[in-house]
Every structure is written in C-alpha cells, then in structure tokens.
Amino acid sequence: MKNYHYQVGGSLAADDPTYVVRQADQDLYEGLKGGKFCYVLNSRQMGKSSLRVRTMKRLEAEGVNCGAIDLSIIGSDNVTPEGWYKGVFYELVRKFELSAKINRRAWWKERESLSPVQRLSEFIEDVLLVEIRQNIVIFIDEVDSVLSLDSSTDDFFALIRACCNQRVDNLAYKRLSFALLGVAKPSYFIQDKNRTSFNIGQAVEVCGFKLEEAQPLAVGLVGRVSNPQAVLREILAWTGGQPFLTQKLCQIVQDACGDFPKFSLERGEQEWVEQLVRSRIIENWESQDDPEHLRTIRDRILGKGQRSVDLLTLYLQILQEKEVEADGSLEQTELRLSGLVVKRNDSLRVYNRIYEAVFAKNWVNKTLVELRPYGEALAKWIASDEQDKTWLLRGRELRQAQAWVANRKNLKLSVQDYQFLNASQALQRRRVQKRLASGLLGSVMFTIGILVGFRENIIYLINESSAYLAAQVAGEEQFSEGENTFFPSNDNFNRQIGIEEFRKENYSTATEFFKRAKETNRNDPEMWIYYNNARAIKKGNPLTLAVVTPATARRDIALEVLRGVAQAQDSFNERREKFKAPLLKIIIANDDSEPTQARRVARTLITNQKVMGVIGHYTSSASEAALKEYEKAGLAMISPSSTSNTLKGDVFFRTVSSNLETAKKLLNYVLANKIKKVVIFYSPEDLYSRDLMESVESLLNQKDVEVIQKVDLRDSELSADAEAFLLSKIQDKPDALFLFPNTELVSVAIEIARARNNVKSLQNKPLLGASSLYSADTLKAGRAALENLILDVHWFADAPDSKEFADKARDMWKGQVSWRTATSYEATQAFIEALSVSDKPSRSTVLEKLKSMNLSSQEPVLVKVSRGKGGPEGSEFRFELAE
C-alpha cells in the first residue's frame, strides 16, 4: 500500500491505521468504564499515550467526559508547590471547558487560606462534580515527572486515593475515575513511609505486540514485499513486539523496498530483515537513533549515579544467564522501567534481540570500566607515561578498588587497568615492607618500653600491615557469607577451595570443603560459620543474622566473637537439619571498630531486608555510630561487648554488663578494703573509657571516696617515661590506682603497672582495672607487674554459673574461651529464640520478642592476677576468682 505511513514516535491518533490493539486496550477501557481507578506504568515508548488517546475516544463516544493532563508541561524546575497545584487546577478547568463557569484566577485567589491540595480537592467536589453530570475520567500522563520536583507531591496522590475512598460517603465520587500513566511504580507516588502507600487502582499491563495483534502493520507491507506475514514475523523476532522499534523497523523495511511492487527477496526474509536491522539500527546506533530511543534507555541507566554500576552488573548477569528470577528488588524495578529488560514467566530477560545487540556484553564492560571508582587516578597515571606514583592507589582506596573489581568477576578490564592496580599494589607492599624493616614492629616482641614510646607509629604500622595482608585476598570485601576470608594468615587449602565453590554457588561442594577445613583447624570459627552458611543456603530460605567484628584491626578479638556466634549457629542448625525448617545463615562484616566505617556497614546491612538482626558492634564508639542507622530501620542490635551507659534505644540490647554495673562491682571492692583516695587513668577521647571513668567517679563521690587525680593515658609525658611521670605528677598519695584503658592503650596501662613497682610510695597500692585488660596477651606482656591486679570482668570460665558453657566451648574449640565468646554466644542465642517465635519472622517480630525477653547480662565478677599454672603458654600467671 503506497500511502501507508508508520508512526515512529509520538502519540497515534485514535483512528490511525497503524494503531495496534492489544489486551491493554480492553483492560483499560473496561476498567475505567466500570468506574475503577487505573494506572498504566511502564517504560518509555511502549504506546501508553496512544493507548490513552484511543481509550478517551471510546469512552467519550459512550458519553463519558474525559480530560487529560500532561504533568510534564506544568514543569519541574524551580516550581513552587503553590505553582504546581495551580498548574494542575488550570489544566483541569481548561480540559473540562469550565472557564465559563468560574474565573480561574479569582477562584484560586479567594481560597488562599487553604493549602494548595485543599483547594484542588474543593474544586473537584464543588465545581467539577457539580458542573459535569456525566461520568468523568481524568487521565494524568507523565506522572513520573513529579519525581524530579524539589518538593513532595505525596499530598497529590493522597488526594487521588481520597477521591476513591470518598465514594463511601459521597455518591458523586462514584462518577469520577482516574487513569495514571508514566514510567514509575505505584510505590513511587507516596514516598513518606509514615503515610499509607498508594494502594488503590487496577494495574493495566502494556505488553509488546504479538503477531496476531500486529496485523494492521502488515498492511503497509502489502505490495512492497512478496511475503508480508513472513517479514512481519521477522520484524517482531527482532523487536520482541516493542511498539516504537516495531513501527520504526516496519518503516525501514517499507523505505528499503522503494517503489518496487511485490519486492522479490534474493535471500530469505530472515537474512534480509537482519541485514536491515544491523545496517540501519545497530551499527553506529547512536548516530542513527532518530527519533531518540536507544539513547533514552542508555541515559536512564547511566543517570543513577553510583547505582548505575549495580544496574549494569545486574543487566550483565541477565545477559550471561539469559534470565534471572524476578524478585521485585529496587535494581530490578529500575532496570525494567528503563525498558531494557522485561518480566516473562517470573523471570527477567533482555526485551529483544536489538537491545541485546546494542547493549551487548562489550558495551556493558566498557561502560562499567568508564564508571570505575579509580578512573581519574588511572587517567592521570597514564598521562604521566606511568611515571607519576602520586596517582597510584594506597590504603583504603586500593582495597576499595580491589573489592570493586572482585565484585565484577566477569568484567574485562584493559591491560592498563591491571598494570595500574598491580603498580599500586607493589607500591603499597614496598611501603609496608619499608616500615616493617625499620625494626619498630619487631621491637614490640622484645620490650614494652619501646612499645609505649613509639605507640602511635607501631599502631599505624600494624594497621598498614593488616590492610596490606587483607588486600592480598582475592575478592577482599567488608562482608562475607563464604565468598572470601577475613583471616588470610590461617592457611587452609580446603578453605580456599570451599570459598571458590561458594563463589560459584556450588553450595553442596562448598559444604564438603568447608567441613574438611573446620576439621583441619577446629579453632577457626570462620570455617564453622561458612560451613553452616553453605548448608543453610543449600536447604533454602535461610534465616539471616549479621555479626560485625574488628576483623583486621583486632584479629584475635574478632575470632573470639565469631567463636560464640559459630557455636550457637552450629548447635541450632544441627537441631533443625532433619526438619523442613530453614537453617541459620550468618553474614560476617568488618568495621575495624572505626565509627565512620561502622556507620557505613550499618547502612549496608539495613538495606538487606533478609537480615533480621545484628550481633555487634565491638567497641562502644562503633556501636554508638551504627545504632543511629539501625534505629531508623527498626533493626535489632545486640552487642556482646559494648558497655557504655550512653548506648540506649528501642533496638539496642546487650549481653554484657554495662559500665554502671562494672562500677558498682568495683565500688564494693573499694568499700570492703577501706580505700579512701584513688587516681584514675583513662582515655577522655574514647567513649568506653570515659564512660566507665564517669560511672566509677560518680559512685565513689556518693560514698565519700575521693578521686584525687584523673590522668589521660595519651599524655605524652606518661608515654615517654611512666616512672618519672608517677614520681613527679602523682603528688598526693592514693590508696589505689584505677586503670581504664581502651584496647589500644592496654600497653600504656601495663607500663604504668610496671613503673608503679619502682615508685616506693605506690608499690603496695592496689591496682584495679577494666575488662579491656582481661586477656592472655595482657598476662604474657605484664607478668609480675600485674600480680594481684583486680579486674571486673563480664564472664569468667571458672565461675559456678559459667561452667556448663565453658566446658562445651572448650570441647568445641579445643582450648580456653574468652568472655567475648560467651557473650557473643548469648547474643546469638537470644536472636535464635526471637527468630523461632514465627514461621515467617520479620524485623518487627524479632524486635518485639527481644523486648519481651527482658534480655540482660550476667552479673560481672572480680578476678585477680595470680602466680600459678593454668594460664596462657609462656606465662606463669593466670586469672582466678577474687571473691
């Protein structure tokens, strides 16, 4: 047919011969005719506006009064809420031809005392429904344009919902319906989580053209090609029925035929159509994309900031696996709204062959590389002919880059990328080796004095060394369920194979190798957790908790915490294995007890809706930073080690005694031993240390015990010469010395204890300390200097009420266990009990159960350092009960 033209872009007229009638036409028409509120939400250029035009025409033919508002023409830049609502009002007056009934400007101005949304509501009820007696349908097109407004339009969509709800009380509203069209999801309309969501209306799904539906398009091919049906079939095979592309390809075919009637194909229709698609659409697609379509898809994906990387990573997975199970996640929703993928049979697939060819793996890889976080540094390094080392990555930047690459296993980087990363890694290694070669780190092993004198340098070197070692692990991340290790120095061949199989999602094989790994080193809790995680995932629908540890900064402490978690998880999973009930999975996270990092970890955990609770964080400072994030999400947190009294909140619990409880125990000792004057050594900058000092000081003052001096453990004079400091600075003779270091300053406390034995006036004065000094390392480092030191600890293995757990833990871990293992076990057990109250636990059910459990810790106990067997290897001292 010679004069038959296809419509490429824009809305089709209601009687356009190329209009393709789909199931959506009937669904929208019948829904609105029946008085339902409807929404047509899909990606761009799917024919939504053409559907609206045609549906309006059909309804108007049956006496329904229709009006359409395009929200995009009202504007979004620098539009005030007043101006935006006024624009909607003006459009309604104009579209329903009510200008003769009311003066728009006067009517709006007379109601200035009302909010804009109230004025719009009054207009609908008092003007629109009064002046128009027929049924009314308001079509609101481009609803997604409101998402870019500076102000919220929650009230606007709440008004539409209210119009639906008003039908119960005001029959006039039964004549009013709305149809919303745009690139969005219903959940986008009302963003305020404290308000009822947009939960009304009938969704009308707009699908691609099917062959039987697309017959009007074949008309334009008659007389142009010898077999119109075969050509149309091939067109749909390439476009997947996507309306814009189908119209465009039909036009390309028609143009290619020229004026030759009954075009005779020298090759089959399949090859001919493919040649047209590749030459006219795919090749040099950016310059040929007119009207714009493919660039719209590209720009929507790349306009999401850092989330673009997540979208592209998901899309790459779909490309490689052909389909991915639909789960309704934010990333999947955004990818569907871009138009690039489509949901079919509960799976996401690439929409059509054209998209698959244009946005191919090479394009994704190239784009991801362009978005890599170290792109600017790489460009500068290359520009310097790879000579300027100042652009090489180091420390956290290097670890983040390595994690970014490891998370994108199928990403093909350039040779220069790998050269840049290798050069950065080599530089980092040289820096660490140079510092280690200085001998400062080695001196730690021989003399506490040097440890104190060069404390800051050594801590820096240790952290640098730990960071370097962690960076060598393939796929080093802050989170792991089994895909990497936080403890690379624990050599275990079976572990590495298990990790590789876990990454490949071969959970049965991973289970076997993790099982061998834990049998090889039974004292490695990470392997117990990964073994149980693989079992839980293999069984399906696991219950999920997270544990946050200082994995690289405080390796031994992290392992102590993980042993308690692993013991509770293994016991629970063993009991449940023979039933159909899901098993427990543990996500291990690393925050290094650094508050900023703890906050980032918390923000990531709350976005994982499968996480029902968090065990951690370790220090009070880290817990305080993270707690603010958990509060926002209603995610329960049980700390097995944070003792600060300031830690409070609806989601905060702990299985360790608070600083106030610790202070009461120390006070009892002070009163029993008739101590009247004390000196307290502490760190004002550390939340735990400062809070403990303040708790003890307050109780002592109430009992007329004088705190004659408070000393900052970070004082440079104290670090330089503790003995000289005690002789010159401690003027008034105290009856006792209190040592309240955080873990970083334990070495300084030990040096004070050693110096005290050389100061005659202090030699026989009691030493009382915090639980931060309760460790095997403290005994080995302090030795005789700490004899008779009194510590207030949260749990002691030889205490009568601790014996049962201590025996089981010793048997499982083949050695002594710490209080951190016990309190972490109790925290995990509490979560297990809270998870078990419901077949489908949620964060809210877990939180409510924890509140009802009246969760509390054991009463702290006093221990003292004594000579004798039973202590750590290499030390003739041990801890024993002091009461």
Side-chain angles (χ1 to χ4, degrees):
M1 184 177 292
K2 268 191 173 183
N3 296 322
Y4 191 99
H5 295 286
Y6 295 97
Q7 175 79 27
V8 183
S11 300
L12 277 67
D15 57 353
D16 194 300
T18 67
Y19 186 86
V20 175
V21 177
R22 294 169 280 179
Q23 182 61 44
D25 286 80
Q26 197 63 19
D27 292 344
L28 183 59
Y29 166 72
E30 290 182 352
L32 294 174
K33 186 178 178 183
K36 295 181 180 178
F37 284 42
C38 298
Y39 49 87
V40 185
L41 305 174
N42 209 311
S43 56
R44 296 207 175 280
Q45 298 175 321
M46 280 293 295
K48 297 184 295 295
S49 295
S50 298
L51 172 64
R52 170 186 60 77
V53 171
R54 187 154 177 121
T55 303
M56 285 179 65
K57 190 76 171 178
R58 292 180 69 184
L59 290 171
E60 287 170 345
E62 298 190 14
V64 178
N65 202 320
C66 299
I69 303 175
D70 184 339
L71 293 184
S72 65
I73 68 173
I74 297 175
S76 58
D77 294 336
N78 302 316
V79 178
T80 64
E82 165 88 12
W84 189 85
Y85 280 100
K86 189 176 183 179
V88 173
F89 162 70
Y90 275 27
E91 283 295 295
L92 286 174
V93 171
R94 187 168 66 87
K95 292 299 174 70
F96 286 99
E97 299 178 352
L98 294 172
S99 297
K101 303 292 183 180
I102 64 170
N103 182 304
R104 291 185 302 182
R105 290 181 176 80
W107 191 95
W108 188 261
K109 188 172 180 60
E110 287 167 2
R111 290 158 180 79
E112 283 183 341
S113 61
L114 300 177
S115 68
V117 73
Q118 285 178 305
R119 280 180 263 183
L120 192 56
S121 175
E122 185 175 314
F123 167 76
I124 290 172
E125 183 167 331
D126 294 349
V127 180
L128 188 63
L129 290 174
V130 171
E131 296 297 337
I132 299 176
R133 308 307 300 174
Q134 310 106 294
N135 286 347
I136 303 169
V137 175
I138 301 175
F139 289 85
I140 302 179
D141 208 349
E142 302 289 348
V143 291
D144 50 294
S145 66
V146 304
L147 301 178
S148 59
L149 288 171
D150 293 334
S151 56
S152 170
T153 52
D154 286 3
D155 288 341
F156 176 69
F157 292 104
L159 170 61
I160 294 175
R161 187 183 61 211
C163 288
C164 179
N165 297 334
Q166 283 273 33
R167 292 176 170 185
V168 177
D169 302 314
N170 188 338
L171 294 180
Y173 278 94
K174 288 190 174 183
R175 295 190 290 108
L176 175 64
S177 296
F178 285 84
L180 308 181
L181 303 95
V183 184
K185 299 294 283 185
S187 59
Y188 293 2
F189 295 151
I190 298 181
Q191 300 288 316
D192 188 345
K193 302 305 180 185
N194 295 318
R195 303 181 69 163
T196 305
S197 59
F198 193 81
N199 54 2
I200 62 166
Q202 171 184 313
V204 175
E205 186 175 3
V206 180
C207 300
F209 299 157
K210 299 176 183 176
L211 181 61
E212 59 273 20
E213 297 171 337
Q215 289 308 304
L217 301 178
V219 175
L221 303 177
V222 174
R224 299 298 187 102
V225 296
S226 58
N227 191 338
Q229 288 298 320
V231 172
L232 180 61
R233 189 181 298 110
E234 288 307 313
I235 289 172
L236 294 177
W238 275 98
T239 67
Q242 204 284 333
F244 178 93
L245 282 178
T246 302
Q247 292 268 3
K248 180 171 183 174
L249 189 49
C250 283
Q251 185 65 57
I252 289 172
V253 168
Q254 190 184 68
D255 293 344
C257 296
D259 295 323
F260 297 97
K262 296 185 183 293
F263 184 90
S264 177
L265 299 175
E266 296 178 1
R267 294 175 290 177
E269 289 89 352
Q270 181 176 352
E271 289 187 32
W272 184 65
V273 172
E274 178 178 354
Q275 183 269 329
L276 287 175
V277 170
R278 294 195 180 281
S279 64
R280 301 286 296 277
I281 296 179
I282 296 174
E283 294 173 6
N284 300 314
W285 63 269
E286 289 181 271
S287 61
Q288 296 199 91
D289 189 34
D290 186 28
E292 186 174 297
H293 174 73
L294 298 172
R295 284 175 292 169
T296 299
I297 294 174
R298 177 201 62 191
D299 293 346
R300 183 174 180 92
I301 292 174
L302 300 185
K304 300 295 180 181
Q306 282 303 308
R307 283 182 42 226
S308 296
V309 173
D310 297 327
L311 295 181
L312 288 170
T313 303
L314 173 60
Y315 175 63
L316 185 60
Q317 180 186 358
I318 296 171
L319 274 178
Q320 292 165 336
E321 299 177 11
K322 301 304 180 185
E323 62 180 42
V324 168
E325 183 181 356
D327 60 15
S329 66
L330 178 62
E331 288 78 13
Q332 288 196 1
T333 298
E334 288 292 347
L335 205 55
R336 288 180 64 190
L337 289 176
S338 75
L340 193 51
V341 301
V342 65
K343 180 181 176 183
R344 294 190 182 120
N345 299 323
D346 296 323
S347 295
L348 294 191
R349 304 176 184 179
V350 182
Y351 197 122
N352 56 51
R353 291 165 63 188
I354 292 176
Y355 294 163
E356 192 169 5
V358 170
F359 304 109
K361 294 178 185 178
N362 288 341
W363 177 85
V364 178
N365 281 321
K366 179 176 179 292
T367 306
L368 277 172
V369 168
E370 291 172 354
L371 293 173
R372 59 199 183 287
Y374 56 87
E376 181 182 0
L378 172 62
K380 299 286 188 181
W381 182 69
I382 293 173
S384 73
D385 292 328
E386 304 178 3
Q387 297 301 309
D388 190 347
K389 292 181 175 58
T390 62
W391 292 108
L392 294 176
L393 306 177
R394 63 202 71 199
R396 179 168 293 181
E397 287 182 344
L398 176 58
R399 296 196 299 275
Q400 288 175 340
Q402 290 170 319
W404 189 89
V405 173
N407 271 333
R408 290 150 187 89
K409 301 177 180 63
N410 299 310
L411 180 62
K412 294 181 180 179
L413 295 172
S414 68
V415 173
Q416 286 179 313
D417 275 271
Y418 288 116
Q419 289 174 339
F420 176 72
L421 292 173
N422 288 338
S424 297
Q425 187 167 298
L427 178 65
Q428 175 83 346
R429 181 168 57 250
R430 289 194 298 271
R431 291 176 70 242
V432 173
Q433 289 172 342
K434 183 177 179 181
R435 284 163 173 74
L436 293 177
S438 68
L440 291 178
L441 191 59
S443 68
V444 177
M445 309 303 296
F446 302 101
T447 169
I448 289 293
I450 294 180
L451 174 62
V452 174
F454 295 96
R455 181 180 70 254
E456 295 298 332
N457 276 336
I458 290 171
I459 290 169
Y460 172 75
L461 290 175
I462 292 172
N463 287 340
E464 284 284 293
S465 179
S466 298
Y468 168 71
L469 290 172
Q472 308 313 301
V473 183
E476 182 261 355
E477 304 170 28
Q478 291 171 273
F479 303 88
S480 178
E481 300 174 12
E483 59 269 33
N484 67 280
T485 177
F486 290 106
F487 308 100
S489 59
N490 292 347
D491 293 330
N492 193 321
F493 179 73
N494 288 315
R495 176 189 66 182
Q496 193 55 42
I497 298 178
I499 287 172
E500 292 298 330
E501 293 300 316
F502 192 96
R503 287 176 183 165
K504 297 175 185 176
E505 301 183 2
N506 297 331
Y507 298 116
S508 295
T509 308
T511 301
E512 290 303 313
F513 280 99
F514 284 145
K515 182 177 181 180
R516 296 178 196 176
K518 72 182 181 67
E519 289 171 351
T520 301
N521 183 3
R522 292 190 61 84
N523 200 33
D524 183 356
E526 191 182 45
M527 286 304 96
W528 286 81
I529 290 174
Y530 290 173
Y531 163 69
N532 276 291
N533 284 353
R535 293 168 67 194
I537 296 172
K538 183 175 67 172
K539 191 168 187 181
N541 300 315
L543 304 169
T544 304
L545 297 173
V547 56
V548 187
T549 70
T552 54
R554 297 285 184 270
R555 178 183 181 277
D556 290 340
I557 287 173
L559 288 170
E560 290 175 3
V561 171
L562 292 179
R563 287 187 187 108
V565 175
Q567 186 168 343
Q569 179 195 24
D570 187 70
S571 176
F572 177 73
N573 284 357
E574 283 297 312
R575 295 195 306 269
R576 306 253 295 192
E577 181 65 48
K578 54 188 174 183
F579 303 109
K580 292 183 178 180
L583 304 184
L584 177 62
K585 180 181 74 174
I586 301 292
I587 298 173
I588 303 176
N590 173 35
D591 72 351
D592 279 337
S593 289
E594 199 277 314
T596 301
Q597 190 62 25
R599 191 177 297 111
R600 293 194 188 108
V601 166
R603 287 172 180 166
T604 302
L605 289 176
I606 63 178
T607 62
N608 184 348
Q609 293 300 316
K610 294 180 181 179
V611 176
M612 296 291 105
V614 178
I615 303 153
H617 296 223
Y618 177 65
T619 64
S620 293
S621 297
S623 291
E624 183 181 55
L627 180 57
K628 297 174 184 177
E629 305 300 326
Y630 298 134
E631 287 279 6
K632 298 173 187 175
L635 181 60
M637 163 192 178
I638 305 180
S639 175
S641 52
S642 299
T643 60
S644 172
N645 298 316
T646 63
L647 291 170
K648 296 176 183 178
D650 288 339
V651 303
F652 178 75
F653 307 87
R654 57 179 149 211
T655 50
V656 63
S657 49
S658 69
N659 284 343
L660 181 59
E661 293 168 313
T662 294
K664 289 178 180 177
K665 203 73 177 179
L666 291 172
L667 175 67
N668 291 338
Y669 183 89
V670 168
L671 297 178
N673 288 272
K674 297 181 172 51
I675 294 171
K676 294 297 183 181
K677 297 185 295 183
V678 302
V679 173
I680 301 178
F681 295 85
Y682 77 112
S683 174
E685 297 178 5
D686 181 74
L687 176 62
Y688 157 74
S689 180
R690 182 180 68 251
D691 185 68
L692 178 57
M693 184 281 296
E694 290 172 351
S695 298
V696 169
E697 182 182 34
S698 175
L699 292 179
L700 292 177
N701 288 337
Q702 293 174 29
K703 298 298 181 180
D704 296 324
V705 178
E706 184 183 1
V707 178
I708 58 176
Q709 200 167 346
K710 293 181 288 187
V711 180
D712 186 349
L713 284 165
R714 294 182 181 272
D715 190 304
S716 58
E717 292 184 48
L718 180 60
S719 300
D721 190 336
E723 185 177 333
F725 184 93
L726 295 181
L727 285 168
S728 62
K729 300 293 184 180
I730 308 300
Q731 302 294 336
D732 197 355
K733 295 179 182 179
D735 297 326
L737 304 180
F738 281 79
L739 303 175
F740 294 158
N742 58 7
T743 51
E744 181 184 334
L745 296 172
V746 165
S747 59
V748 181
I750 293 173
E751 186 60 19
I752 292 170
R754 180 175 286 105
R756 154 222 181 226
N757 285 342
N758 297 326
V759 178
K760 188 173 181 180
S761 61
L762 300 176
Q763 282 177 351
N764 298 318
K765 303 301 181 183
L767 281 179
L768 291 89
S771 59
S772 54
L773 292 164
Y774 180 47
S775 72
D777 288 340
T778 301
L779 289 178
K780 288 187 285 187
R783 303 169 67 86
L786 298 180
E787 189 170 5
N788 295 320
L789 167 68
I790 299 295
L791 295 180
D792 190 342
V793 300
H794 310 293
W795 179 89
F796 187 61
D798 292 338
D801 55 357
S802 303
K803 191 174 187 310
E804 182 180 355
F805 172 76
D807 289 344
K808 289 181 180 178
R810 286 192 194 103
D811 181 63
M812 181 170 181
W813 303 113
K814 304 305 177 186
Q816 292 286 354
V817 293
S818 77
W819 66 268
R820 300 176 186 90
T821 298
T823 54
S824 298
Y825 175 85
E826 291 300 327
T828 313
Q829 285 289 73
F831 269 128
I832 286 172
E833 183 177 343
L835 286 167
S836 301
V837 298
S838 171
D839 292 334
K840 293 183 179 181
S842 65
R843 290 179 177 179
S844 59
T845 62
V846 168
L847 187 57
E848 290 306 310
K849 177 59 179 176
L850 289 175
K851 290 178 180 178
S852 70
M853 289 165 61
N854 192 26
L855 190 63
S856 60
S857 60
Q858 294 182 350
E859 182 182 351
V861 296
L862 293 183
V863 299
K864 68 177 180 179
V865 177
S866 302
R867 289 182 184 269
K869 297 180 180 180
E873 185 178 349
S875 172
E876 67 273 28
F877 292 87
R878 62 188 176 91
F879 294 110
E880 64 179 27
L881 282 172
E883 53 184 0

